[in-house]
Amino acid sequence: MRNENLKMLIVTALFAAIIGIMAQLTIPLPLVPITGQTLAIGLAATILGKRYGTLSVLVYIMLGIAGLPVFSAMTSGLGIVFGPTGGYIIGFIPAAFIIGWYLERFGFTVTHAIIANIMGTVVTLTFGAVWLKFIAELSWTAVLAGGVTPFIIVGIIKAVIAATVGIIVRKRLTSAKLLPVVIA
């Protein structure tokens, strides 16, 4: 059992690194950039489940807070987390948990994974929008126009990709005995 926990912690660290790498894939927008972070978080939670998927997000955030340039545009530090886009980063934590929880509760199928990842997208956008509203002192109209609307279609596309690829990878890792059938 101890080797299994060690293996899962290594995989968790690997996914934290993947999130950091995917964060560098950006499309700049005026308020909030479109990044690969949410796709990577969806993959982590879909493949690893609620416990280790959420842990990988926490490790990623802690690496960024500690000064490693893992946030979008190779940035880091508490200033990013407490800045205008920090709500999205904080929202990654409950998003990963909800995605993993939903899949553990209803089953690791592509359909459930799409639903779970869309739920995760909604959670991330909600946290981000509320945070952006108060930190940047913007109107709700400005927040919706710059911090939510541009991400709806892209978020759905990323949710479908994370769900489809995540379920395939999870099945292959499980059949290769690189991932336990049931992740506790």
Side-chain angles (χ1 to χ4, degrees):
M1 192 60 155
R2 186 166 185 205
N3 286 338
E4 201 64 43
N5 287 338
L6 178 61
K7 185 187 334 178
M8 288 309 298
L9 289 176
I10 291 168
V11 172
T12 298
L14 175 64
F15 271 95
I18 290 169
I19 297 166
I21 292 165
M22 294 289 288
Q24 306 320 309
L25 303 174
T26 64
I27 299 171
L29 294 176
L31 282 178
V32 181
I34 294 172
T35 71
Q37 287 165 305
T38 51
L39 174 59
I41 288 160
L43 284 168
T46 301
I47 295 167
L48 302 178
K50 72 178 182 218
R51 180 178 179 190
Y52 291 105
T54 304
L55 185 58
S56 69
V57 172
L58 286 167
V59 169
Y60 161 72
I61 293 171
M62 295 310 292
L63 290 171
I65 288 171
L68 271 71
V70 295
F71 297 142
S72 176
M74 298 293 284
T75 58
S76 63
L78 274 175
I80 300 299
V81 176
F82 289 114
T85 61
Y88 298 95
I89 294 170
I90 298 301
F92 295 157
I93 300 166
F97 183 85
I98 288 168
I99 292 166
W101 171 83
Y102 183 93
L103 290 170
E104 289 174 16
R105 174 78 169 87
F106 297 103
F108 287 86
T109 66
V110 172
T111 301
H112 285 305
I114 291 170
I115 293 167
N117 276 276
I118 289 173
M119 289 168 58
T121 299
V122 170
V123 168
T124 300
L125 290 176
T126 301
F127 270 75
V130 170
W131 188 280
L132 188 61
K133 160 83 174 117
F134 293 105
I135 296 298
E137 298 178 0
L138 298 172
S139 68
W140 283 113
T141 304
V143 168
L144 291 174
V148 176
T149 305
F151 305 100
I152 294 171
I153 300 297
V154 174
I156 292 169
I157 292 168
K158 288 194 273 186
V160 171
I161 293 169
T164 306
V165 172
I167 293 299
I168 291 168
V169 170
R170 180 181 168 78
K171 285 180 181 175
R172 291 192 179 160
L173 289 175
T174 302
S175 68
K177 297 189 182 351
L178 296 172
L179 196 65
V181 175
V182 176
I183 302 173

